[in-house]
Amino acid sequence: NKKMKIIILLLGVTFCLPNLLNAQNRVAKIDSNQLFDEYPGKDKYLEELDELREEYQQELKDMVNKLSISVKKFNEEKDLQSIETNQKRVEYVQNENKKIDEFKKLAMDELYEEQTSINKKMRENIRSAVSNVAKKQNLDFVIDSSSKNNIINAGCKDIFNDVKKELINLIAEREESIKDILGGW
């Protein structure tokens, strides 16, 4: 009888132990901000962005210089010109200033969009690489240590729908309970 209990216990441990060991979640961590800072090829992206910025700055400088030359010329000739011509020149300068302002805004918007696009692409690549490594290493979770609450899904079971159903059931049960209580009033 005692031997039989020991044999059953040993068989139980033999069959259950591997399942218990595999049931534990495998968790890893990564600092995605550090990975972003050390992103391979980031220097190339930044050089391309700097080149674009320099192109815009040069174009803006050319526009301002061209307008400055015109303003200088208009000021030198203003006494020799009619009121109508001087008024047209003032309007021309105002329009050119407006074009310069619009160009500045456009350049800033495009630089911002390009920077945002580069950052998004890098973040997506980081996320993809983390996910691939997690799958290869059979990790259930990867915790982003650069943020306290950011977990990158590594292909583990998504319980969103189960939790949503449970929440719906819980709310329905509470409403039913409230109706039962109020029914007695």
Side-chain angles (χ1 to χ4, degrees), residues 59-60 63-64 66-67 91-107:
E59 196 169 338
L60 182 62
M63 290 172 77
V64 169
K66 181 181 172 188
L67 182 59
E91 290 173 10
Y92 170 81
V93 170
Q94 290 172 342
N95 286 335
E96 291 302 305
N97 275 325
K98 188 176 180 181
K99 287 179 186 177
I100 290 171
D101 289 341
E102 289 171 357
F103 180 80
K104 283 182 194 177
K105 184 182 179 329
L106 175 71

Side-chain angles (χ1 to χ4, degrees), residues 67-108:
L67 182 59
S68 293
I69 291 169
S70 295
V71 168
K72 183 178 178 184
K73 179 183 173 197
F74 294 163
N75 281 334
E76 289 171 357
E77 298 174 350
K78 73 178 177 181
D79 293 336
L80 304 173
Q81 301 298 319
S82 69
I83 294 175
E84 291 173 353
T85 301
N86 284 334
Q87 182 60 36
K88 287 181 182 178
R89 288 179 169 184
V90 167
E91 290 173 10
Y92 170 81
V93 170
Q94 290 172 342
N95 286 335
E96 291 302 305
N97 275 325
K98 188 176 180 181
K99 287 179 186 177
I100 290 171
D101 289 341
E102 289 171 357
F103 180 80
K104 283 182 194 177
K105 184 182 179 329
L106 175 71
M108 287 174 38

Side-chain angles (χ1 to χ4, degrees), residues 165-182:
K165 287 177 188 173
E166 181 64 27
L167 186 57
I168 290 169
N169 291 339
L170 182 65
I171 291 170
E173 288 175 9
R174 286 189 179 163
E175 287 177 359
E176 192 63 36
S177 175
I178 291 171
K179 285 181 185 177
D180 289 344
I181 293 171
L182 293 177

Side-chain angles (χ1 to χ4, degrees), residues 2-110:
K2 224 178 193 181
K3 286 183 181 180
M4 188 61 130
K5 287 182 183 180
I6 292 174
I7 291 173
I8 291 174
L9 180 64
L10 285 175
L11 285 174
V13 168
T14 303
F15 289 115
C16 292
L17 188 59
N19 290 336
L20 289 173
L21 292 176
N22 286 333
Q24 294 178 351
N25 288 331
R26 284 171 232 97
V27 179
K29 70 173 184 158
I30 189 164
D31 184 335
S32 65
N33 286 341
Q34 180 183 0
L35 193 55
F36 184 83
D37 290 341
E38 298 175 16
Y39 188 91
K42 183 177 182 180
D43 293 339
K44 181 183 173 197
Y45 290 136
L46 294 178
E47 285 175 15
E48 291 172 4
L49 193 62
D50 284 341
E51 287 174 11
L52 183 60
R53 184 178 293 112
E54 288 173 12
E55 287 176 25
Y56 284 133
Q57 286 175 339
Q58 184 60 47
E59 196 169 338
L60 182 62
K61 183 178 177 182
D62 292 345
M63 290 172 77
V64 169
N65 286 340
K66 181 181 172 188
L67 182 59
S68 293
I69 291 169
S70 295
V71 168
K72 183 178 178 184
K73 179 183 173 197
F74 294 163
N75 281 334
E76 289 171 357
E77 298 174 350
K78 73 178 177 181
D79 293 336
L80 304 173
Q81 301 298 319
S82 69
I83 294 175
E84 291 173 353
T85 301
N86 284 334
Q87 182 60 36
K88 287 181 182 178
R89 288 179 169 184
V90 167
E91 290 173 10
Y92 170 81
V93 170
Q94 290 172 342
N95 286 335
E96 291 302 305
N97 275 325
K98 188 176 180 181
K99 287 179 186 177
I100 290 171
D101 289 341
E102 289 171 357
F103 180 80
K104 283 182 194 177
K105 184 182 179 329
L106 175 71
M108 287 174 38
D109 288 347
E110 287 185 15

